[in-house]
Amino acid sequence: MKPRQDFDFSQAGLEDILAHLESLLTDAVTNRHNAFHTPVLLSIGLDGRPRGRTVVMRSFDASHRQVRCHTDIRSDKAAEIAKDARIGWVFYDPASKWQVRLQGLAVLHHRDDQAQAAWQKSKRMSQICYGTNPAPGTVIAGADQFVLPQEPDAIAAGEAHFSALICTYDEMEALWLGHKGHRRMRYRWMEGGEIQSEWLAP
Ligand SMILES: Cc1cc2nc3c(=O)[nH]c(=O)nc-3n(C[C@H](O)[C@H](O)[C@H](O)COP(=O)(O)O)c2cc1C
């Protein structure tokens, strides 16, 4: 089901809104025109400062409350998440006028079945990036002082750096910008799985 872009949410209830947001997020995995496709992923820097960066959302599973993206295990974010698994996501889609913020815990899958399955489904142009030498974030002597693998064997070797980051979120906060008044709401999933839903002042 395609998400409704023009719906007036000013009269919608919390349950319907959650279902709608889940459908927007699900659509964004495969729909590049849905701006939720490229959220900002937030982690806590090794120095304790906040760190954010754009990533591609690779899967969204509403029933397990999981979001997945892929990243290089040599990246700063991987080191940050290894130290502190608490992460956040910010999605904003100007077309639907929704901002969604998720908070949860991340698990980095590296050299396991989940990482292997995700690597095998990745396009060659994505796989090439994992063979970047030197490692992402390394200071280099000039703009082009890095190499990407060219040959199939070298590209395949990049799998050693590939990781699938899977986050299970326990909080979703959303804001809708409406002509007749904004709407803001928060959903929290408790230990037993029950949802605490509440309106917030926008
Ligand atoms: C549109 C867009 C999509 C991106 N997708 C990813 C991604 O899926 N995974 C990733 O690791 N980096 C992705 N990047 C690069 C990150 O934003 C970031 O520059 C890089 O991962 C280094 O981040 P770090 O030093 O905080 O680890 C993307 C950047 C842009 C602009």
Side-chain angles (χ1 to χ4, degrees), residues 38 51-56 58 69-72 75-78 80 130:
T38 47
R51 299 259 299 163
R53 77 288 288 162
T54 312
V55 294
V56 175
R58 300 291 179 178
C69 72
H70 298 161
T71 199
D72 194 307
S75 66
D76 285 356
K77 74 179 88 46
E80 290 159 11
Y130 293 89

Side-chain angles (χ1 to χ4, degrees), residues 97-173:
K97 302 188 185 66
W98 277 105
Q99 172 181 263
V100 175
R101 301 195 287 177
L102 302 177
Q103 294 212 48
L105 292 178
V107 174
L108 278 171
H109 292 271
H110 179 229
R111 290 191 171 282
D112 65 7
D113 290 351
Q114 302 206 52
Q116 192 182 32
W119 171 263
Q120 282 168 0
K121 282 190 199 138
S122 295
K123 295 199 172 103
R124 190 173 170 274
M125 59 187 250
S126 301
Q127 292 180 338
I128 287 172
C129 300
Y130 293 89
T132 303
N133 186 24
T138 305
V139 176
I140 48 179
D144 60 358
Q145 298 300 296
F146 65 96
V147 289
L148 290 169
Q150 307 290 333
E151 304 303 324
D153 283 358
I155 295 169
E159 185 175 359
H161 305 136
F162 177 85
S163 70
L165 182 165
I166 299 182
C167 169
T168 304
Y169 61 90
D170 61 3
E171 181 174 316
M172 177 188 292
E173 202 227 88

